[in-house]
Amino acid sequence: MRRLDCVGPEVVYIDDFAENLPPAAALGMTTIEFTGPRELRETLAGLGVEVSP
């Protein structure tokens, strides 16, 4: 986040290993467990993130 000059609430962290999500959440990031592209697009859309097809 320092390199990107971002703070936790500005970041969405996506990973397919659930055990990697809690440390990111502890830094204030929104976390998403990747289970497939369709679900990811839906989850991101629910967060207001525009995703290209």
Side-chain angles (χ1 to χ4, degrees):
M1 290 188 302
R2 280 183 286 218
R3 286 184 182 178
L4 297 172
D5 194 29
C6 296
V7 293
E10 298 173 327
V11 178
V12 177
Y13 180 79
I14 304 162
D15 202 311
D16 59 343
F17 292 106
E19 61 270 10
N20 293 335
L21 300 177
L27 292 172
M29 297 178 203
T30 298
T31 60
I32 301 172
E33 183 177 0
F34 180 81
T35 56
R38 186 186 66 203
E39 293 84 4
L40 179 58
R41 283 188 188 96
E42 290 171 0
T43 303
L44 288 170
L47 293 172
V49 177
E50 292 186 36
V51 180
S52 302

